Amino acid sequence: MYLFTSEVVSPGHPDKCADIIADSIVDKILMADSNGRVASEVFVAGKNIVIGGEINSKLKLEQKDYENIVKDALFNIGYKGLPYFTKEQCLHPDDINVSVYINQQSSDINQGVDQKDGEIGAGDQGIMFGFASCEADEYMPAAITYARMLCDKVYKFAKENPDKLGVDIKTQVSIDYGTKDNFENCKPQSIHTIVVSAPCVESMDINELRELIQTLIDDSGLPTNLYDKQKTIIYINPTGRYVNHSSLHDSGLTGRKLIVDSFGGYAPIGGGAQSSKDYTKVDRSGLYAARYIAKNIVAAGLAKKCIVQLSYAIGVAKPTSVSVDTMGTNVASVDDDKLSNFVMDNFSLTPKWIINKFGLDKPSDDTFLYAKVAAFGQVGNSKYPWEQLDSVELFKTLI
């Protein structure tokens, strides 16, 4: 055996609640003022939601506005104050306290970001990594792809059946590659272990719960060539009881699920979180650009997997470095040096280029919402603008 594991948490996990609330603020600001600047963190502990950070915008939010954003976000996540779970068992939106500590963004940063020639400088220094792999249709590693598939299935059921399950859900998948060589060459052999933890109402027997979750696993769409119900090890609520959940029993903080948000630990991650920040913060926009480049390289057939690293200096538009690493899986005629130089020659990768390319200053119901990205992962969803494969033909010119 050669095993690799990734975990996923649902939007109802306290850390994800914090991310979603923070990005609901980003959406609110940018939909009213596309030039708004946002960097607000959220801490969720018990019934208390603390919002702090810096915002510059034409839209001025008051205490009541923040309270409404928080309550709407929690309601959409699935914390609807229904009687199936008591106020002691999970968070109810009508029972929260919201504290707001928001300042103006420093003018020292602004002068480097909004430049006189119309260019946009990076909102901070930092490093970002994008990754892609041929292991699954989404050009993502297998373990996190299937962990997400399971989590989405159970979460959807929980939202539709609040009389049975709560929305604070975790899943985990271990992939068996058989050998290290198969791992390095993106050849998963089977799903070795599945773990699912989902809160249920107190009246539900553990055996009934496990039978329900097993049915959802079997119906989740896992590839039949990898998933064998008779062979895969499956743990469902392994402690035997999971009723108490939400931030009442586990605090949440923005930016604490970076590996869940990205590549499941399969590849490096950058130095900062994405949620809570506007598009000028390269922790966010740089990840999207690096993922876009890596995905198009793999989709073009130039490599089986690919890591793209970008780095930026605060107030400087062009990246300070660009590197491509195909981890030895590249086609013989196109090495990493050639790929790195090709990317630098053909893709500007300035914040302004990234913003315009993906429409990052215009979140909407018709394109994408940052809050939904926070809920279901920053990468790996084909509907996101930065997941498009419109540079495949350009990369194929290298062959």
Side-chain angles (χ1 to χ4, degrees), residues 24-34 36-37 55-62 65-66 69 104:
S24 295
I25 296 170
V26 175
D27 286 328
K28 184 77 171 180
I29 293 292
L30 294 182
M31 291 172 78
D33 176 10
S34 63
R37 301 289 181 257
I55 294 178
N56 273 10
S57 174
K58 296 175 183 176
L59 178 66
K60 304 303 179 184
L61 298 177
E62 304 296 335
D65 298 316
Y66 286 108
I69 290 171
Q104 291 283 303

Side-chain angles (χ1 to χ4, degrees), residues 136-182:
D137 291 342
E138 297 82 357
Y139 293 96
M140 291 283 285
I144 191 166
T145 297
Y146 304 133
R148 281 183 178 174
M149 193 178 293
L150 289 171
C151 194
D152 290 348
K153 182 70 175 183
V154 179
Y155 175 66
K156 184 175 185 290
F157 181 90
K159 286 194 73 175
E160 293 173 349
N161 298 271
D163 58 325
K164 295 181 179 180
L165 300 183
V167 293
D168 185 356
I169 299 157
K170 282 187 174 185
T171 59
Q172 186 170 287
V173 170
S174 299
I175 298 292
D176 184 7
Y177 290 84
T179 65
K180 178 67 179 298
D181 184 68
N182 284 338

Side-chain angles (χ1 to χ4, degrees), residues 65-140:
D65 298 316
Y66 286 108
E67 291 175 0
N68 289 335
I69 290 171
V70 171
K71 289 180 180 179
D72 288 346
L74 292 174
F75 187 88
N76 290 332
I77 288 167
Y79 292 112
K80 299 183 177 182
L82 298 174
Y84 308 113
F85 292 93
T86 69
K87 289 187 176 182
E88 290 69 41
Q89 291 171 340
C90 88
L91 188 64
H92 286 228
D94 64 352
D95 200 29
I96 61 172
N97 304 306
V98 179
S99 300
V100 181
Y101 305 94
I102 294 293
N103 303 305
Q104 291 283 303
Q105 187 181 73
S106 169
S107 58
D108 295 344
I109 296 176
N110 288 344
Q111 69 180 357
V113 174
D114 299 311
Q115 299 178 1
K116 292 180 180 179
D117 61 359
E119 190 53 85
I120 296 175
D124 202 351
Q125 70 175 50
I127 59 171
M128 304 87 221
F129 291 93
F131 178 78
S133 164
C134 64
E135 287 188 2
D137 291 342
E138 297 82 357
Y139 293 96
M140 291 283 285

